[in-house]
Amino acid sequence: MSKMLGVAASSPGGSTRRPDSGGNSRKLLLGAYFDFIRIRFLTMLAYRVNYYSGILIYTLNIGVNYFTWKAIYGDGQALGGFTAAQMTTYVAVSWMARAFYFNNLDREISTDIRDGSIAIQFIRPYNYVLVKMMQGLGEGLFRFMLFMIPGMAIAMLLFPVNLPTEPSAWIGFLVMLFFSFLINSQINVITGLLAFFVENNEGMMRMKRVVVDLFSGLIVPISLFPGWMSSVLEVLPFQAITYLPGSVFTGRVQGVGIWNVLGIQVLWFLLLLIPIVWLYHAARKRLFVQGG
Amino acid sequence: MAAIQVQDLRKTFKVQKNREGLKGAFADLFKREYTEVTAVKDISFTIPEGEICGYIGENGAGKSTTIKMLTGILVPTSGVLSVGGYVPYEEREKFVRNIGVVFGQRSQLWWDIGVIESFQLLRKVYRVSEADYKKRLDELVERLALQELLNRPVRKLSLGQRMRCELVAALLHNPSILFLDEPTIGLDIVVKSEIRDFLKDMNREHGTTILLTTHDLQDIEALCSRVIMLDDGRIIYDGGLEELKQRWGTGREVLFQFGSATKLGQLNHWTDGMPVTWSAENDLNAKAWIPLDLNVSDVLGRVVGQADITDIKIIETNTDDIVRSIYQSGSAEKPEEARAEQDGKEVVHV
């Protein structure tokens, strides 16, 4: 009886069936994308012990930078528009922002491409890049809650960090932090997708890491670079990751300037979509699945 | 209507050439040289709905490349392709909702989460309604006896368990076409036959079209009514398995065991005038080789009445041997015929 039901339920002339594209089915796919966030979050949570050492390392980084800057400032008042107090806050906020927005999407994507498991991704009715971004978001959520917030608390206990008190600054900062995550992830996706075009993009990934840390103003705020250099960096996307949100949060940029900063972030977010879409489509034509 | 239609399909890869030595490496740095490798060379075939078709060939013959083009993973260099009414590489996301794919060597389940969670996620990815999903899952879980595995993380499954779960994962959305790339690789004999039975039932009950590549010819014998054989990117045989056997199997062997000593000369004498070749290890065991056009029972008739026989065994050339000799010659043409064409002579079958 069950066999007969099976036949009746699915037409043998199956290839004439077209997937329905109704609202309900779109909602299901959306649900799947949310699941990728949730699953990555839960997986990270299962391995949370690995990240406890990370909190220590980030605190250490903040400490090293704090004492270095303290020595550089000496009795001086301001450097590149930063007072010593602002610099301390900037260093702490930048490193903690990095604790949130950092991810290894570039490595994940290039591994998928190089070991051939990208094939599995292409037999599924979803957008691979979007899935990767969702997984990155799941990781970001974990890093935000179990990495950035406790790390920030420790940093505030150890170093004289002055955080703003107005709620609007906090809301603005969180929005900008989210865009930092998006832009950094987009750069990672681009670096990862390059594995389609070069046999080994290990070097590129390492270079990207150094470039992002240096040019985003994490190590040295952009206003401290030589004039010509900072004017070059101002037209690159990296400053939108750390320097701009950090400047807002330390109170160096205020009023209308805040909207300008947000505008620059949104602009880079949109601009970076172009190479991603282009790479993804070009890659489909060049794809060479490794291992047969 | 045909489920899969392929016309002059070709795929060419550009492969980076690495020149030798330090000088070569330095030259590579500035000007890359590429070699073109054609993995699939203008193949054409049509698979009707509801057929199980075996796709075989040596390693590197182009099987996987074909499957990857048929499933929309790779974009062909040239040729016309239609699978389930879609051009796979053009509307990939819509197209793949209608097919199921199992790669024996790659998992499509998520390593870190439980089996049932993987299924739930796939349900949403493939946009299957809760009711359809439940019905389908119950059916598959019962058929493949997976009840106890559902809550385990995928990384803790054995290969046989995982492969059964992979099948469910590929079939949850009730695809009309199923692609299997070496589905039984590395599995023990029990799981292998379970999977074969399951696939046969799937095909019978749901009319699922199945295209499978394999190196295990027993898969083909158990499942396929049709075989496409590939060599160096070209189709060298496309037809029924029985025909292949008939065309290539040159004869049968009959093993005799005698109760009392029977000399080779005696045996030859009994089958005098027949093109039978006898060989004997000792007086109690003998082997007769009988060409295809001679009836086995005629030979048996001559021997049975006269000798004291304790056992008879008839051995047909098995598919492994046939396929091995085809791979070695690189052509599915019967060697005699090929030679005959070359020499322009008629071959006289004795």
Side-chain angles (χ1 to χ4, degrees):
Chain A
M1 187 61 197
S2 69
K3 281 186 182 177
M4 284 176 62
L5 278 175
V7 174
S10 69
S11 59
S15 67
T16 49
R17 273 178 314 169
R18 293 284 169 148
D20 66 311
S21 49
N24 194 38
S25 89
R26 211 161 292 143
K27 217 159 67 192
L28 274 170
L29 186 64
L30 209 63
Y33 283 124
F34 278 116
D35 269 6
F36 285 110
I37 303 179
R38 184 178 62 88
I39 288 170
R40 178 60 72 94
F41 179 80
L42 292 175
T43 313
M44 303 281 293
L45 205 61
Y47 293 108
R48 62 185 170 277
V49 181
N50 297 354
Y51 290 85
Y52 292 157
S53 59
I55 297 180
L56 200 75
I57 290 166
Y58 272 75
T59 315
L60 213 64
N61 269 318
I62 294 172
V64 168
N65 279 281
Y66 166 72
F67 289 115
T68 310
W69 285 114
K70 215 174 141 187
I72 293 170
Y73 271 93
D75 296 328
Q77 288 304 304
L79 275 176
F82 278 88
T83 63
Q86 275 176 337
M87 187 59 89
T88 308
T89 309
Y90 178 85
V91 165
V93 168
S94 309
W95 278 97
M96 280 308 149
R98 186 185 192 271
F100 161 67
Y101 67 65
F102 184 87
N103 57 42
N104 282 317
L105 287 187
D106 50 347
R107 199 156 296 267
E108 290 172 26
I109 292 173
S110 97
T111 308
D112 272 355
I113 294 168
R114 281 163 60 191
D115 73 9
S117 40
I118 191 85
I120 293 290
Q121 302 297 329
F122 279 159
I123 56 159
R124 299 215 178 102
Y126 57 45
N127 184 304
Y128 173 63
V129 172
L130 209 52
V131 168
K132 275 325 242 196
M133 284 299 267
M134 292 298 160
Q135 290 178 334
L137 203 57
E139 180 167 344
L141 210 61
F142 165 84
R143 287 171 156 273
F144 183 76
M145 284 158 55
L146 281 108
F147 200 172
M148 180 182 158
I149 290 177
M152 200 72 201
I154 294 172
M156 286 187 69
L157 287 177
L158 296 177
F159 312 108
V161 178
N162 296 314
L163 294 180
T165 44
E166 324 83 83
S168 61
W170 280 94
I171 292 167
F173 180 67
L174 288 178
V175 172
M176 284 176 196
L177 199 59
F178 184 66
F179 274 98
S180 300
F181 161 82
L182 287 178
I183 293 166
N184 180 58
S185 301
Q186 284 177 309
I187 291 172
N188 282 348
V189 167
I190 291 169
T191 317
L193 286 178
L194 285 175
F196 276 122
F197 301 88
V198 290
E199 249 174 49
N200 191 337
N201 68 339
E202 183 65 41
M204 271 181 207
M205 290 191 292
R206 290 189 184 188
M207 192 175 81
K208 184 231 74 191
R209 200 159 159 171
V210 174
V211 164
V212 168
D213 281 350
L214 191 64
F215 291 177
S216 69
L218 176 73
I219 316 265
V220 181
I222 286 175
S223 61
L224 291 180
F225 278 93
W228 63 273
M229 186 89 182
S230 52
S231 49
V232 170
L233 293 184
E234 271 162 30
V235 294
L236 292 177
F238 309 108
Q239 56 155 353
I241 298 173
T242 309
Y243 180 67
L244 294 180
S247 299
V248 171
F249 205 53
T250 47
R252 293 182 61 249
V253 174
Q254 284 168 337
V256 189
I258 296 175
W259 290 104
N260 285 340
V261 167
L262 195 61
I264 293 172
Q265 283 193 316
V266 173
L267 186 71
W268 275 115
F269 167 71
L270 295 174
L271 282 178
L272 287 173
L273 289 176
I274 298 168
I276 291 177
V277 170
W278 183 79
L279 277 173
Y280 188 63
H281 282 279
R284 296 264 304 127
K285 293 232 168 61
R286 299 200 28 132
L287 176 60
F288 182 158
V289 175
Q290 317 274 357
Chain B
M1 192 191 144
I4 301 174
Q5 239 174 331
V6 174
Q7 188 73 46
D8 298 323
L9 190 68
R10 171 182 279 262
K11 180 74 191 179
T12 309
F13 293 114
K14 251 186 179 177
V15 181
Q16 235 168 53
K17 233 197 283 184
N18 290 322
R19 275 167 280 186
E20 258 177 67
L22 193 63
K23 212 174 135 196
F26 201 66
D28 279 344
L29 213 54
F30 294 101
K31 196 170 179 296
R32 276 271 175 215
E33 278 187 4
Y34 294 93
T35 18
E36 292 225 323
V37 175
T38 309
V40 174
K41 298 170 181 165
D42 305 321
I43 60 170
S44 306
F45 59 85
T46 304
I47 296 174
E49 266 173 24
E51 188 168 76
I52 306 187
C53 182
Y55 200 62
I56 58 175
E58 288 174 288
N59 288 327
K63 300 182 303 278
S64 291
T65 306
T66 317
I67 293 267
K68 278 169 188 146
M69 284 191 277
L70 294 178
T71 49
I73 297 167
L74 293 177
V75 180
T77 310
S78 68
V80 185
L81 192 57
S82 162
V83 181
Y86 286 98
V87 178
Y89 55 93
E90 276 177 1
E91 295 177 275
R92 188 188 65 82
E93 283 188 34
K94 265 194 210 161
F95 160 72
V96 293
R97 283 169 64 187
N98 204 19
I99 60 163
V101 187
V102 174
F103 289 113
Q105 317 214 48
R106 300 187 197 286
S107 179
Q108 60 173 315
L109 302 162
W110 286 270
W111 205 243
D112 288 309
I113 59 178
V115 175
I116 191 77
E117 268 188 282
S118 271
F119 291 164
Q120 276 285 357
L121 187 51
L122 284 170
R123 171 183 92 78
K124 290 180 195 162
V125 167
Y126 283 96
R127 307 174 218 185
V128 181
S129 75
E130 188 73 55
D132 285 351
Y133 164 77
K134 230 184 120 43
K135 190 169 141 249
R136 188 95 178 124
L137 185 68
D138 285 348
E139 191 189 316
L140 290 168
V141 163
E142 177 156 350
R143 181 63 185 76
L144 287 163
L146 297 177
Q147 292 87 344
E148 276 142 47
L149 306 179
L150 287 180
N151 290 312
R152 278 198 225 166
V154 174
R155 60 169 181 274
K156 295 210 170 135
L157 299 179
S158 73
L159 184 61
Q161 293 168 334
R162 208 199 76 207
M163 198 47 74
R164 284 184 287 153
C165 293
E166 299 276 351
L167 277 171
V168 176
L171 291 167
L172 271 178
H173 54 290
N174 199 8
S176 63
I177 305 171
L178 182 61
F179 294 92
L180 303 163
D181 195 2
E182 300 184 26
T184 56
I185 196 162
L187 299 177
D188 69 48
I189 221 136
V190 179
V191 181
K192 267 186 191 178
S193 64
E194 257 176 36
I195 286 183
R196 285 175 197 146
D197 288 346
F198 170 73
L199 291 173
K200 237 192 267 180
D201 289 353
M202 273 298 303
N203 171 259
R204 200 175 44 234
E205 289 166 25
H206 297 271
T208 313
T209 310
I210 301 176
L211 182 69
L212 86 153
T213 77
T214 183
H215 286 297
D216 187 342
L217 291 162
Q218 283 177 339
D219 286 347
I220 303 280
E221 286 196 59
L223 291 169
C224 304
S225 45
R226 176 173 167 201
V227 200
I228 296 176
M229 197 185 286
L230 213 62
D231 184 64
D232 191 28
R234 290 193 181 86
I235 292 178
I236 55 170
Y237 180 81
D238 182 355
L241 186 65
E242 278 311 309
E243 286 158 57
L244 185 73
K245 272 196 204 173
Q246 266 170 23
R247 204 151 119 197
W248 269 79
T250 45
R252 284 142 299 180
E253 237 175 16
V254 182
L255 300 182
F256 289 94
Q257 208 173 57
F258 301 110
S260 54
T262 312
K263 292 279 181 218
L264 201 59
Q266 183 70 47
L267 292 166
N268 273 323
H269 176 70
W270 283 334
T271 56
D272 211 16
M274 285 176 157
V276 177
T277 319
W278 285 96
S279 59
E281 282 168 38
N282 50 49
D283 285 349
L284 293 177
N285 289 291
K287 233 191 292 185
W289 190 84
I290 305 165
L292 266 185
D293 45 0
L294 185 64
N295 219 330
V296 178
S297 57
D298 290 347
V299 180
L300 290 181
R302 297 261 189 110
V303 182
V304 171
Q306 324 208 27
D308 169 22
I309 296 171
T310 54
D311 195 16
I312 299 179
K313 205 185 274 171
I314 302 174
I315 300 169
E316 262 195 89
T317 327
N318 72 34
T319 324
D320 282 290
D321 292 336
I322 294 174
V323 170
R324 190 183 312 124
S325 51
I326 297 179
Y327 284 172
Q328 276 163 3
S329 69
S331 157
E333 297 299 317
K334 202 174 171 182
E336 282 97 331
E337 285 166 11
R339 224 179 297 134
E341 272 168 34
Q342 279 172 7
D343 300 346
K345 269 190 288 189
E346 274 283 309
V347 173
V348 184
H349 286 281
V350 245

